[in-house]
Amino acid sequence: MTIEIREARLDEAEVVHHTIRAAFAEYEGKLNPPSGALRETPQDLIANMERGGGSVLAWEEDTALGSATYRFSDPYMYIGRVAVCPGARGKGVCKLMLRYLEEKARLQEVFEARVGVRLSIPANIAMYQRLGYETIEHQFYPDRTDSWYVMSKKL
């Protein structure tokens, strides 16, 4: 399997949106509060791109396997909506997208990447830890039904 990671174009916002929906569908009705990823629209993704952020897509031939969004927030790159379609999980897609984005940050002379990871999804916390991310903050939703870690990796 050859996976290509590349920047998503504006006209691919629907593809990014589709991968996010496919990856986060398993959490629909299970997280409190619900994941904002399931409310996001292609227009939201385009707006992020127009503000200087963007998205990347992971492709195998003509099939989108995953996506991730990013934005620069001095002094770090925030990586969000990391989404791998269920059939592509376990194949290193997430790791490849993160490496691509981390290198993009370094090229912009940004030497820290951050992600937000819900505590109600402990497998994701463990995955980011394996990829070199460390917890730097513990944040709570207003109603305290769930919380998340802000995780950071020095680049």
Side-chain angles (χ1 to χ4, degrees):
M1 174 167 78
T2 301
I3 300 170
E4 175 194 7
I5 310 298
R6 66 168 173 75
E7 194 78 21
R9 301 182 312 261
L10 282 173
D11 66 342
E12 293 175 317
E14 287 281 351
V15 178
V16 174
H17 181 255
H18 174 76
T19 62
I20 292 170
R21 295 284 306 172
F24 282 79
E26 70 187 271
Y27 302 118
E28 194 158 17
K30 295 180 181 169
L31 298 176
N32 185 18
S35 173
L38 295 170
R39 291 189 309 272
E40 205 158 50
T41 67
Q43 292 73 29
D44 295 326
L45 298 165
I46 290 169
N48 181 52
M49 292 179 195
E50 290 174 341
R51 287 189 305 268
S55 299
V56 296
L57 283 162
W59 293 94
E60 181 181 34
E61 296 180 13
D62 62 348
T63 303
L65 304 177
S67 65
T69 64
Y70 67 89
R71 70 179 184 276
F72 290 96
S73 183
D74 190 39
Y76 59 88
M77 172 190 272
Y78 181 80
I79 301 170
R81 306 294 190 240
V82 178
V84 177
C85 295
R89 292 181 183 158
K91 298 177 182 178
V93 174
C94 178
K95 181 190 271 186
L96 290 171
M97 289 190 300
L98 290 172
R99 282 187 183 157
Y100 180 97
L101 289 168
E102 291 163 3
E103 181 60 22
K104 182 177 187 66
R106 280 191 287 272
L107 291 171
Q108 297 288 323
E109 298 188 359
V110 173
F111 300 104
E112 181 184 2
R114 291 185 185 180
V115 295
V117 188
R118 285 176 91 129
L119 268 68
S120 57
I121 311 173
N124 286 355
I125 295 167
M127 177 198 63
Y128 283 108
Q129 288 171 330
R130 284 192 305 275
L131 296 173
Y133 286 77
E134 298 177 350
T135 301
I136 60 169
E137 290 179 47
H138 187 185
Q139 299 285 321
F140 291 85
Y141 289 98
D143 61 4
R144 299 185 83 74
T145 56
D146 201 355
S147 61
W148 70 95
Y149 286 152
V150 176
M151 300 181 78
S152 170
K153 181 178 182 179
K154 301 296 181 197
L155 306 176

